[in-house]
Amino acid sequence: MGVIRAVVKGYGHYLPERVVENAEFAETLDTSDEWIRTRTGIERRHFAAEGQKTSDLAVEAAKAALAKAGMKASDLDAIILATATPDQTFPSTATRVQHAIGMKGGFAFDIQAVCAGFIFALANANGMIQSGQAKTVMVIGAETFSRILDWEDRTTCVLFGDGAGAIILQAEEGTGTGADRGVLSTDLNSDGRFNDLLYVDGGVSSTGTTGVVRMQGQEVFKHAVSKLAACGDTALHKAGLTAGDLDWIVPHQANLRIIKRTAQKMGISMDHVVVTVQDHGNTSAASIPLALSVAASRGQIKEGDLLLLEAIGGGLTWGAAVLRW
Ligand code: ACO
């Protein structure tokens, strides 16, 4: 029986110009390139320039995705933007992007699920496309985490980076089997009992300030490996596929050790895992669309490849999606 599939038509990304190598942190903190590299796999990250906002990064990624798809802004019905670092408390960063790319109709809104934000946004876009609410949806992950870091806390500030990635999904008729292109399944989860493991110590209705990132790294690490492998397996099961069918895992890029252990738990060799954490650090909601766009641009991911996307972040929130590129 025919079904509607949300199929990738374009992709793009943007990284701010300023590159910060690990060694730069050692000038002001009791840390080293060696510690950061061996514990996280991170070698460098990009930081936004003064005055450069999350929407500025998102707009560049959005324009690149439109160009790749051969589309105009007016071809989009919706923009869903995942971020934990919006330009303003309101309006949404998505509406700023909508205006900046010249999209006058349709609708745009933000989604907040921290590092799992892109998976949540993708699942929403897929639902809207499958229900007929929208035909063509741009899904963006964009962050300026450098704005919410405590530069004196070596346990967090070395981990994050800034950037943006975008994909465009469009409705297409599929056969209803795992051979279809497009989003084949999604699996979303959250558990608010774990709020205190990873949070920002400020907010509009609590302190009236922006706050900075606080994290119990080891605890998050333990949850990450088991929860990511479990939701990955669930998403594959929902799609009627197995780990052996995958061409690529495109994981949230937080820590190379988490990426390796999750792949190992799922029985996937690292030859089938896209890794960009060494160059980007943890860009939260931007990390998966950045990795997708970088890997597709360099010909690593090809049309028809079967991908598993998976991410975990503050909340805790976590999820996975099976997508045939
Ligand atoms: N440089 C040098 N030493 C450091 C640094 C640093 N940058 N950071 C911590 N240390 C020290 C610690 O103080 C500790 O010292 P001690 O033994 O004297 O107390 C030692 O290194 C070991 O610290 P651990 O926290 O045990 O180190 P661990 O191996 O767990 O690595 C890390 C820490 C990298 C944070 C890891 O736990 C991790 O990646 N956790 C998961 C983070 C994550 O995935 N987040 C995803 C979601 S992010 C989001 O949603 C916004």
Side-chain angles (χ1 to χ4, degrees):
M1 196 182 68
V3 297
I4 300 295
R5 296 291 194 190
V7 175
V8 176
K9 294 291 172 182
Y11 56 85
H13 68 274
Y14 178 78
L15 289 156
E17 259 174 53
R18 185 173 165 223
V19 177
V20 175
E21 301 284 340
N22 288 344
E24 221 178 285
F25 289 94
E27 292 169 16
T28 53
L29 286 172
D30 183 12
T31 189
S32 63
D33 174 46
E34 209 257 329
W35 191 97
I36 301 169
R37 237 174 236 261
T38 52
R39 296 292 181 123
T40 71
I42 298 166
E43 296 172 23
R44 61 194 64 82
R45 73 288 290 140
H46 294 244
F47 283 149
E50 211 183 313
Q52 199 174 25
K53 298 180 294 298
T54 295
S55 65
D56 296 325
L57 312 188
V59 165
E60 295 306 320
K63 285 179 179 169
L66 283 170
K68 189 82 199 169
M71 288 183 188
K72 302 182 294 299
S74 56
D75 294 326
L76 300 175
D77 299 318
I79 297 174
I80 308 181
L81 186 147
T83 190
T85 49
D87 291 14
Q88 293 160 287
T89 303
F90 80 81
S92 68
T93 303
T95 55
R96 295 180 68 90
V97 175
Q98 180 187 27
H99 175 59
I101 65 172
M103 178 183 159
K104 296 190 179 70
F107 57 96
F109 64 97
D110 287 359
I111 277 197
Q112 155 64 296
V114 205
C115 296
F118 185 76
I119 302 283
F120 278 62
L122 183 80
N124 272 273
N126 184 45
M128 284 186 172
I129 287 172
Q130 290 202 313
S131 68
Q133 175 110 40
K135 188 166 174 274
T136 309
V137 182
M138 183 180 289
V139 187
I140 305 175
E143 303 276 16
T144 47
F145 253 61
S146 61
R147 305 287 194 255
I148 53 165
L149 296 176
D150 174 353
W151 300 107
E152 289 176 2
D153 178 9
R154 67 177 183 173
T155 69
T156 52
C157 73
V158 302
L159 303 175
F160 295 93
D162 301 337
I167 63 170
I168 297 172
L169 296 171
Q170 190 165 59
E172 233 176 62
E173 190 139 347
T175 61
T177 71
D180 289 343
R181 283 189 68 209
V183 178
L184 301 178
S185 70
T186 57
D187 183 57
L188 304 183
N189 308 270
S190 65
D191 191 337
R193 285 177 300 168
F194 301 118
N195 276 188
D196 292 347
L197 297 188
L198 177 54
Y199 63 99
V200 165
D201 63 4
V204 179
S205 75
S206 53
T207 59
T209 61
T210 306
V212 289
V213 174
R214 301 293 177 209
M215 177 166 72
Q216 295 179 39
Q218 266 194 9
E219 286 305 309
V220 176
F221 196 108
K222 282 184 220 153
H223 283 286
V225 175
S226 58
K227 289 183 165 47
L228 289 173
C231 71
D233 283 336
T234 303
L236 281 166
H237 181 73
K238 284 184 185 175
L241 296 163
T242 68
D245 296 316
L246 291 172
D247 294 294
W248 296 103
I249 298 187
V250 187
H252 171 46
Q253 309 283 322
N255 184 315
L256 185 57
R257 289 185 298 145
I258 296 176
I259 293 172
K260 282 185 175 167
R261 284 200 207 167
T262 306
Q264 193 182 21
K265 216 168 164 52
M266 296 190 69
I268 311 267
S269 116
M270 283 302 288
D271 301 339
H272 294 278
V273 182
V274 172
V275 179
T276 55
V277 69
Q278 70 281 2
D279 295 324
H280 302 163
N282 180 348
T283 57
S284 188
S287 106
I288 288 179
L290 258 171
L292 282 172
S293 177
V294 166
S297 304
R298 62 186 179 210
Q300 210 177 356
I301 295 176
K302 296 183 185 63
E303 191 172 309
D305 280 358
L306 187 70
L307 317 181
L308 175 69
L309 321 181
E310 34 99 331
I312 184 162
L316 294 174
T317 49
W318 66 101
V322 176
L323 168 69
R324 192 174 294 284
W325 193 253

